[in-house]
Amino acid sequence: MTSVFKIFKEQFLHLPLILRLAIYDIKGSYQMHYLGILWQFINPLIQVCVYWFVFGVGLRQVGTVGDTPFIVFLLLGLVPWFFIAPTIIQGSNSVYSKVNLVSKMKFPVSVLPSITILGNMFNFFLMLGILGVVLFFYEINPGIYILQLPYYIASLFIFLFAFTLLSSTISAIIRDYQLMLQSVVRMLFFLTPIFWSIKSFPETVQSIIKLNPLAYIVSGFRDTFLAQGWFFEDWQYMLYFWSLTFLVLVIGSMLHENFKDKFVDYL
């Protein structure tokens, strides 16, 4: 637990630095593009259109999932996923990609995953705004269930921090890990309930799908905006998610503390 407290203390003490570097990363990513930061909006919009055309128009013939229009159902899965996938990939490579920073100055390496998370956060909240417009257009009102949205956003951020902290350490030590992780994330895109509902499977299969912690977050977003249930109703599932997240955080913090002074040797 000492390692966990140390890591969180570093995030708190260096919060202004994290914010500055995250903003610098966003500006730096698009400074050579004519449309600049608009690509944060254009890229996911193009992907949503492609997925809607292939899976909605092509396979489902613009049908519905239960009473929900497919485009709404799809967006409720894609909005968190468009934040999760790039954050896992970039965050896991954050230590290796900042080798100059790590090797040339005394730098709190544990803030690097946080910089990636905050850098991608802007796009996530932009997509949430677009989702709100689509829900308004289809006259879908989550009602009082919208109160649990901060819970699922906090779950998303804490899980991503724990996972990227662990992965960035492993990735700096074993470079093959990054390539393997990219393959796993591509696979999880189809194994996470983005295009389909977890409730459409038998209970035994549902139990297996729920082992994926990302399924908890994506299903939670859907339950929130479609007013389908509270996060505490399935307390066993909630306990599993937080136990796994805490375990990843503890292992990631211990590994990071043990190897943080040796990163330069590996890089």
Side-chain angles (χ1 to χ4, degrees), residues 147-251:
L147 292 176
Q148 66 182 349
L149 181 60
Y151 165 78
Y152 281 111
I153 291 178
S155 305
L156 176 59
F157 276 61
I158 293 171
F159 175 79
L160 285 178
F161 175 74
F163 188 81
T164 52
L165 181 68
L166 172 64
S167 290
S168 61
T169 303
I170 299 175
S171 186
I173 299 168
I174 308 169
R175 287 305 295 161
D176 300 76
Y177 176 81
Q178 186 66 22
L179 293 176
M180 185 189 73
L181 185 64
Q182 289 175 14
S183 300
V184 170
V185 169
R186 279 196 292 270
M187 184 176 65
L188 284 176
F189 177 63
F190 294 101
L191 295 179
T192 303
I194 296 172
F195 300 102
W196 39 270
S197 170
I198 195 171
K199 294 169 184 170
S200 61
F201 291 89
E203 284 191 12
T204 309
V205 180
Q206 285 187 33
S207 301
I208 297 172
I209 294 171
K210 286 180 175 180
L211 293 175
N212 172 9
L214 302 180
Y216 177 79
I217 295 168
V218 171
S219 299
F221 269 75
R222 231 169 237 144
D223 288 342
T224 298
F225 286 103
L226 298 180
Q228 291 180 338
W230 293 100
F231 67 92
F232 49 77
E233 288 179 2
D234 193 350
W235 64 269
Q236 295 99 330
Y237 194 20
M238 182 178 71
L239 183 63
Y240 164 76
F241 172 80
W242 284 111
S243 300
L244 181 66
T245 301
F246 183 70
L247 180 64
V248 173
L249 180 62
V250 171
I251 296 173

Side-chain angles (χ1 to χ4, degrees), residues 56-179:
V57 179
L59 297 179
R60 289 179 175 271
Q61 302 297 309
V62 201
T64 60
V65 180
D67 297 328
T68 308
F70 182 71
I71 183 62
V72 174
F73 184 87
L74 180 65
L75 269 176
L76 288 171
L78 285 178
V79 168
W81 182 259
F82 283 160
F83 179 52
I84 291 168
T87 300
I88 286 179
I89 299 297
Q90 296 165 16
S92 300
N93 202 38
S94 57
V95 173
Y96 184 82
S97 62
K98 294 287 191 301
V99 59
N100 291 333
L101 218 56
V102 175
S103 61
K104 291 181 181 175
M105 60 186 288
K106 188 174 173 58
F107 190 82
V109 185
S110 70
V111 305
L112 292 174
S114 297
I115 293 169
T116 303
I117 294 171
L118 258 68
N120 290 331
M121 187 180 70
F122 173 77
N123 183 47
F124 172 64
F125 283 109
L126 180 65
M127 290 299 294
L128 270 183
I130 295 170
L131 174 64
V133 173
V134 173
L135 290 174
F136 178 78
F137 177 78
Y138 281 97
E139 298 180 344
I140 295 175
N141 181 8
I144 196 171
Y145 287 91
I146 197 67
L147 292 176
Q148 66 182 349
L149 181 60
Y151 165 78
Y152 281 111
I153 291 178
S155 305
L156 176 59
F157 276 61
I158 293 171
F159 175 79
L160 285 178
F161 175 74
F163 188 81
T164 52
L165 181 68
L166 172 64
S167 290
S168 61
T169 303
I170 299 175
S171 186
I173 299 168
I174 308 169
R175 287 305 295 161
D176 300 76
Y177 176 81
Q178 186 66 22
L179 293 176

